[in-house]
């Protein structure tokens, strides 16, 4: 599998603060790579370094096999499109005029393709409406269109759905999937919206205190994420005794609630318990969320 981006013990220090700490990332061609971490974990610092806006203190990285110290790295970066923090758009201009300005900036030989780009991001019918009057979701889609003007095959999105309403989130999600599946663009996304990220990511990098503590594919993650059965019972001590005897993984939540972890055939599980006179008042089958997996991984607080 071709590696689009790889970092090797990347570090970034600001005086006594270490934003990146021996960070190692591997992003495969065709992936939607979800970069997950709390505020201050180093997500935006990493993105800024990849895009050439900052230099690492130490360590190296390669983009399409080209080392960051190579004289050719600037040309390689032309294959990258990015939105860092907020889209750079001209509020007094229409969507089309914004794209024309970006075409000029990146040195595109003609304006051919602008209408197709507007259609791709769902802005083909906004006419001369000024971008300052767009909804937040429309602005974000325009920002993605601007990032696509140089026909990149690697797209970097820093918090692309931050602040969007539910409809805006759906639109961005569908656009990201379309770019990845139809245009075959490799995508790196940093996001706080982990449940939404779980709907589109093919790979994850979990970031904590400037280091990647886990890289995993979505398929591997599904196998590792705990499945849980929540039981409401009255004779809790009897249940606990049975679970201990059978070495069943469980957790007492309160005086009536027990969580049982693992994959079980629910009907057989209930029948087996009833044979032991262990009667369940309520039962709910659940699967661990991406956010819970991350919290358990770092042993810390939720992502904000």
């Amino acid at each position: 599998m071709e590696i689009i981006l790889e970092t090797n013990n990347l570090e970034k220090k600001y005086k006594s603060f270490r934003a990146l700490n021996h960070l190692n990332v591997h992003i495969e061609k065709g992936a939607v790579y979800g970069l997950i971490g709390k505020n201050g974990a180093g997500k935006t610092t990493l993105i800024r370094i990849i895009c050439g806006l900052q230099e690492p203190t130490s360590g190296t990285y390669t983009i399409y096999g080209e080392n960051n110290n190579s004289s050719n790295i600037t040309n390689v970066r032309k294959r990258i499109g990015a939105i860092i923090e907020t889209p750079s758009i001209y509020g007094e201009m229409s969507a089309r005029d914004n794209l024309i300005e970006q075409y000029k900036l990146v040195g595109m030989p003609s304006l051919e393709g602008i209408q197709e780009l507007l259609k791709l991001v769902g802005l083909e019918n906004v006419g001369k409406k000024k971008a300052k009057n767009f909804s937040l979701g429309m602005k974000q889609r325009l920002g993605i269109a601007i990032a696509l003007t140089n026909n990149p095959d690697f797209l970097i999105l820093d918090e692309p759905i931050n602040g969007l309403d539910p409809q805006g989130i759906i639109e961005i999600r569908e656009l990201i999937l379309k770019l990845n599946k139809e245009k075959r663009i490799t995508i790196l996304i940093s996001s706080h919206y982990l449940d939404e990220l779980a709907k589109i990511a093919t790979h994850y990098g979990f970031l904590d205190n400037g280091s990647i503590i886990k890289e995993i594919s979505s398929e591997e993650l599904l196998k590792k994420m705990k499945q849980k059965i929540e039981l409401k019972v009255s004779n809790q001590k009897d249940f606990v005794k049975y679970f201990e005897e059978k070495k069943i993984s469980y957790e007492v939540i309160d005086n009536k609630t027990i969580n049982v972890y693992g994959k079980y055939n629910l009907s057989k599980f209930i029948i087996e318990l009833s044979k032991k006179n262990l009667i369940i008042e309520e039962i709910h089958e659940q699967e661990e969320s991406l956010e819970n997996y991350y919290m358990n991984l770092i042993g810390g607080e939720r992502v904000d």
Side-chain angles (χ1 to χ4, degrees), residues 53-90:
L53 300 175
Q54 291 181 334
E55 289 295 325
T57 305
S58 63
T60 60
Y61 61 93
T62 60
I63 305 172
Y64 290 99
E66 200 73 45
N67 188 277
N68 62 293
N69 295 315
S70 165
S71 58
N72 194 43
I73 192 66
T74 301
N75 286 328
V76 172
R77 282 203 185 96
K78 291 177 182 178
R79 300 175 67 177
I80 298 175
I83 298 179
I84 303 175
E85 296 177 314
T86 55
S88 297
I89 61 177
Y90 297 101

Side-chain angles (χ1 to χ4, degrees), residues 10-260:
L10 208 60
E11 285 202 358
K12 182 63 179 179
K13 295 178 184 177
Y14 302 98
K15 295 183 179 180
S16 60
F17 176 66
R18 186 174 291 176
L20 299 181
N21 182 19
H22 296 284
L23 181 140
N24 296 291
V25 162
H26 310 81
I27 300 180
E28 298 177 358
K29 184 177 181 179
V32 177
Y33 187 102
L35 187 63
I36 297 172
K38 294 184 289 188
N39 282 337
K43 301 189 299 296
T44 300
T45 300
L46 172 62
I47 289 170
R48 290 179 69 84
I49 287 174
I50 295 166
C51 293
L53 300 175
Q54 291 181 334
E55 289 295 325
T57 305
S58 63
T60 60
Y61 61 93
T62 60
I63 305 172
Y64 290 99
E66 200 73 45
N67 188 277
N68 62 293
N69 295 315
S70 165
S71 58
N72 194 43
I73 192 66
T74 301
N75 286 328
V76 172
R77 282 203 185 96
K78 291 177 182 178
R79 300 175 67 177
I80 298 175
I83 298 179
I84 303 175
E85 296 177 314
T86 55
S88 297
I89 61 177
Y90 297 101
E92 294 295 328
M93 291 184 178
S94 67
R96 180 178 176 80
D97 287 343
N98 265 278
L99 291 181
I100 290 172
E101 286 301 308
Q102 186 65 17
Y103 264 52
K104 293 176 182 176
L105 188 63
V106 299
M108 296 294 283
S110 75
L111 302 182
E112 187 178 349
I114 284 183
Q115 193 59 31
E116 183 183 345
L117 200 49
L118 288 170
K119 186 176 180 180
L120 179 65
V121 300
L123 294 175
E124 72 272 28
N125 296 319
V126 296
K128 295 183 178 181
K129 183 176 181 178
K130 291 182 178 181
K132 68 179 183 180
N133 297 320
F134 286 2
S135 69
L136 192 56
M138 290 169 69
K139 289 177 180 176
Q140 198 72 329
R141 283 184 279 132
L142 176 57
I144 292 175
I146 290 170
L148 294 171
T149 52
N150 60 328
N151 295 316
D153 39 24
F154 183 27
L155 182 63
I156 299 174
L157 303 174
D158 188 14
E159 299 289 352
I161 60 174
N162 198 24
L164 299 187
D165 61 23
Q167 182 59 37
I169 290 173
I170 291 170
E171 289 170 354
I172 295 297
R173 180 211 308 160
E174 291 177 348
L175 176 56
I176 289 170
L177 288 172
K178 188 174 186 178
L179 293 173
N180 178 249
K181 293 179 178 178
E182 295 182 16
K183 301 294 183 180
R184 302 193 180 281
I185 296 175
T186 303
I187 301 174
L188 167 61
I189 306 175
S190 77
S191 180
H192 289 128
Y193 294 80
L194 302 194
D195 287 342
E196 186 62 32
L197 195 57
K199 297 174 184 176
I200 57 176
T202 62
H203 296 77
Y204 300 94
F206 296 96
L207 187 62
D208 190 41
N209 294 322
S211 298
I212 291 289
I213 55 174
K214 184 79 172 179
E215 281 191 315
I216 191 169
S217 71
S218 57
E219 291 179 358
E220 292 173 311
L221 183 61
L222 281 173
K223 293 175 184 176
K224 288 180 177 291
M225 285 171 72
K226 293 178 182 177
Q227 289 192 317
K228 178 177 74 175
I229 301 172
E230 183 184 82
L231 306 177
K232 295 287 185 182
V233 301
S234 56
N235 51 336
Q236 189 185 82
K237 289 183 179 179
D238 294 337
F239 276 85
V240 168
K241 183 180 178 182
Y242 176 76
F243 294 154
E244 289 286 346
E245 289 174 357
K246 294 293 184 179
K247 297 186 175 359
I248 291 173
S249 178
Y250 73 94
E251 180 184 11
V252 174
I253 304 303
D254 55 41
N255 61 1
K256 290 203 70 174
T257 309
I258 305 174
N259 286 341
V260 175

